[in-house]
Amino acid sequence: MAPKVAIIGAGFGGLCMAIRLEMAGITSYTVFEKAGNVGGTWRDNSYPGAGCDIPSHLYSYSFEKYASWTRRYPGQPEILGYLEHCADKYDVRRKIRFDTEVVRAAFDGGGWQVTCKPTTTGTSTAGGAGGEVTEEFDVVIAGVGQLNRPHYPDIPGLADFAGTTFHSARWNHAHDLTGRRVAVIGNGSSAAQFIPSVAERAAHLDVYQRTPNWVIPKPDAAFGPLTRLAFHFVPGLQRAYREWIYRYAEGTLYPALAQGWSTGLLRTRALNHLKAQVDDPELRAKLTPGYPPGCKRVVIDSRFYPALTRPNVDVVTDRIVRVTATGVETDQGHREADTIIYGTGFRSTEFLSPIELTGRDGQTLSDQWKQGAEAYLGISVPNFPNLFLLYGPNTNLGHNSIVFMLECQVEHVMNCLPYLWQRGPMEVSARAMAAWSRQLDAAMGRMVWGDGCQSWYKTAEGRVTNNWPGPTPLYRRLTALPPLPAYRFVGADHAKGALSS
Ligand code: NAP
């Protein structure tokens, strides 16, 4: 007997959790995945040029080395291929309920009643209205990510547009951009990656920039055959390379975000990159940010600026007034477009939404998080026993690999499982949560995200709910501590049995 575990999402987080359970011999888990494949964000974001700006030898699981990477910064298809490879190698697909969306989960005193429904209509024969089915689990682990729900801008007239529109995370591959007059709204990391391809195909491209971003070069290169052979055959080489990238990011980029010794270096690097790639002083001025580097996610890309200097591309900084049937009206006049692409990011501060979660005594997560999401270690929430979050509040990074953080979180969950199985439902205590929040606030004070810009890292009120403010080795140490002093047991009926497969 082992606890019955529901995992929500089969992206980097959910798959890691499932694989780790398999490794421990625990097979009493089910992964609910609303789409038809694994991959999460790397399945959804298939726009041209999509890729990761963290090298894949680090942006991958520490336990699953991969000799197939073709370049330092592989594109989305390779990363998706890696996740598919992991799902197959560790044989977790058999435990994934694809095309099944968890709509709500409620704690009933002993465990969780998890309600799901099919995302493809008309396929369900079981359950109540809309094919809903409710099942009991001991533990719920949410691996839904922070960037899974597209944000569409609240610009008047969006519905009036007569042409084609889509979001970067829902790319319309059937829509040929050749010869089109395209408007891109947004210029963050996603837009920076797809704009070069769009610019090559479109007759004309208007890039609507509300705020410029700091951009540093991406030192990408294909691995030659010898390097690939070496990665394959030289013992320890992949691990050493991974470790080097990790230490480099931690040692040079983190201090810049913590307003330490490399802050000036980051600014200089970005300004030099801009100067090297953009000759026109007027365009350069438009692209120069007026806030500290790192306040918003730094864009790491070498193809973005050259695309903006093309004769068929305009960077439009006029304020957008409305979208019309035939284009975009700004405070300086109307600009024609037949296609509008939203590179406007994600509803990043609405963690777990739209899943309705109800904890102890009818407490809903949406109520508890009215002032902004928070969780102990970014993993556990008071009043929500046996609920664990992967990539939860304050665990995003602006400088290193989120996969590192996910593995720390998964290990913490693994450390909690024997306790909750032997002693009943456990939740983080209000005292531990309050101490955690105080420490987080203190650490947040020195980070660059607070003032000077708005970003997806924080709520409209300015509270940073998404980012981890410390060095990542500290996060690993904290998540590896024995869980017990911070948790309390809340079930009426404790011991269910010893943890075993
Ligand atoms: P984002 O960074 O949130 O950028 C959204 C863009 O849309 C911003 O330029 C924003 O302008 C603009 N925008 C939003 N609402 C607008 C409105 N009403 N009017 C005009 N402009 C509007 O989103 P993203 O580019 O999709 O990137 C999100 C995150 O995904 C990144 O920061 C990164 O962490 C991750 N990502 C990573 C990679 C990678 O290589 N690892 C690649 C892509 C994405 P303002 O700046 O003025 O708000």
Side-chain angles (χ1 to χ4, degrees):
M1 281 284 284
K4 211 177 151 198
V5 178
I7 300 171
I8 311 175
F12 253 112
L15 280 183
C16 187
M17 191 71 239
I19 291 168
R20 191 62 188 80
L21 288 172
E22 288 281 343
M23 285 173 168
I26 299 170
T27 55
S28 51
Y29 70 92
T30 302
V31 183
F32 294 93
E33 170 51 59
K34 67 178 164 36
N37 191 13
V38 300
T41 199
W42 296 106
R43 177 200 59 228
D44 291 346
N45 286 273
S46 62
Y47 57 77
C52 189
D53 56 18
I54 302 285
S56 280
H57 279 91
L58 179 60
Y59 194 79
S60 49
Y61 300 127
S62 61
F63 55 81
E64 185 53 31
K65 291 189 286 175
Y66 195 53
S68 303
W69 300 121
T70 61
R71 53 193 314 115
R72 261 187 230 164
Y73 297 88
Q76 171 263 343
E78 270 193 58
I79 302 170
L80 180 58
Y82 171 77
L83 288 171
E84 288 171 334
H85 155 85
C86 292
D88 291 335
K89 176 170 171 181
Y90 293 93
D91 194 22
V92 297
R93 276 185 202 268
R94 75 191 198 289
K95 306 292 287 183
I96 304 177
R97 267 187 231 167
F98 288 109
D99 298 313
T100 305
E101 183 178 6
V102 171
V103 287
R104 77 186 76 87
F107 183 71
D108 66 5
W112 284 88
Q113 299 291 333
V114 176
T115 304
C116 61
K117 67 171 189 190
T119 40
T120 44
T121 49
T123 55
S124 171
T125 49
E132 286 189 2
V133 177
T134 300
E135 224 175 294
E136 183 164 1
F137 289 88
D138 298 302
V139 179
V140 172
I141 302 170
V144 298
Q146 296 189 3
L147 303 170
N148 63 344
R149 298 176 73 212
H151 161 74
Y152 292 87
D154 52 355
I155 300 169
L158 291 192
D160 300 339
F161 187 62
T164 302
T165 66
F166 50 91
H167 189 277
S168 58
R170 303 287 182 269
W171 197 266
N172 181 350
H173 290 279
H175 182 64
D176 185 2
L177 292 168
T178 312
R180 301 275 182 185
R181 215 181 152 84
V182 181
V184 167
I185 300 181
N187 57 311
S189 300
S190 301
Q193 290 186 336
F194 69 71
I195 279 171
S197 309
V198 175
E200 278 167 20
R201 274 183 275 164
H204 185 84
L205 168 61
D206 281 336
V207 176
Y208 288 87
Q209 172 192 279
R210 189 165 63 178
T211 318
N213 281 302
W214 291 97
V215 182
I216 58 173
K218 182 172 176 177
D220 193 16
F223 292 128
L226 280 181
T227 311
R228 291 182 65 183
L229 276 178
F231 276 134
H232 200 83
F233 290 111
V234 178
L237 182 62
Q238 286 203 48
R239 192 155 297 281
Y241 179 54
R242 177 187 173 94
E243 190 63 24
W244 178 79
I245 308 164
Y246 173 76
R247 284 174 191 240
Y248 175 81
E250 209 56 37
T252 62
L253 281 177
Y254 174 72
L257 304 184
Q259 312 196 58
W261 68 270
S262 54
T263 303
L265 278 186
L266 181 59
R267 177 186 291 270
T268 306
R269 189 150 182 235
L271 288 175
N272 287 345
H273 181 53
L274 176 61
K275 205 166 157 195
Q277 293 202 317
V278 180
D279 288 334
D280 175 7
E282 202 180 317
L283 180 57
R284 229 158 45 205
K286 272 186 186 177
L287 297 172
T288 306
Y291 57 86
C295 185
K296 286 172 179 290
R297 171 67 148 75
V298 171
V299 172
I300 306 174
D301 203 288
S302 300
R303 296 174 66 227
F304 178 49
Y305 284 151
L308 300 183
T309 65
R310 290 172 63 105
N312 67 329
V313 177
D314 283 325
V315 176
V316 183
T317 53
D318 309 328
R319 190 175 61 81
I320 298 173
V321 176
R322 66 174 60 83
V323 169
T324 68
T326 56
V328 179
E329 190 183 316
T330 75
D331 56 1
Q332 299 300 311
H334 189 265
R335 302 181 72 96
E336 298 285 315
D338 56 44
T339 304
I340 300 179
I341 305 173
Y342 298 110
T344 45
F346 299 87
R347 298 165 72 160
S348 54
T349 55
E350 300 172 14
F351 292 85
L352 292 170
S353 188
I355 303 168
E356 293 166 26
L357 281 148
T358 308
R360 251 183 337 104
D361 306 324
Q363 178 75 43
T364 64
L365 197 61
S366 53
D367 258 359
Q368 192 160 314
W369 280 357
K370 255 195 206 132
Q371 310 301 321
E374 58 176 11
Y376 171 70
L377 300 172
I379 299 173
S380 299
V381 187
N383 299 317
F384 290 79
N386 289 8
L387 170 71
F388 300 97
L389 314 180
L390 306 177
Y391 196 17
N394 295 109
T395 63
N396 178 60
L397 301 175
H399 73 285
N400 211 323
S401 172
I402 191 60
V403 184
F404 174 93
M405 301 295 273
L406 287 169
E407 287 193 39
C408 296
Q409 290 150 17
V410 164
E411 283 314 306
H412 181 80
V413 176
M414 292 304 293
N415 288 342
C416 289
L417 288 182
Y419 291 106
L420 65 85
W421 190 236
Q422 283 159 17
R423 297 174 62 179
M426 64 193 267
E427 70 174 48
V428 65
S429 70
R431 206 165 59 144
M433 183 68 228
W436 175 255
S437 296
R438 277 196 305 277
Q439 286 160 9
L440 213 52
D441 287 348
M444 209 57 91
R446 66 168 177 269
M447 302 308 289
V448 71
W449 310 309
D451 296 323
C453 79
Q454 183 50 265
S455 75
W456 67 263
Y457 297 158
K458 51 191 178 185
T459 62
E461 293 73 35
R463 181 166 166 206
V464 180
T465 52
N466 291 63
N467 282 11
W468 165 243
T472 60
L474 172 64
Y475 186 74
R476 178 162 52 189
R477 280 203 298 280
L478 293 172
T479 47
L481 289 172
L484 261 208
Y487 286 83
R488 66 196 192 101
F489 295 92
V490 296
D493 165 15
H494 283 181
K496 283 194 176 176
L499 183 69
S500 69
S501 59

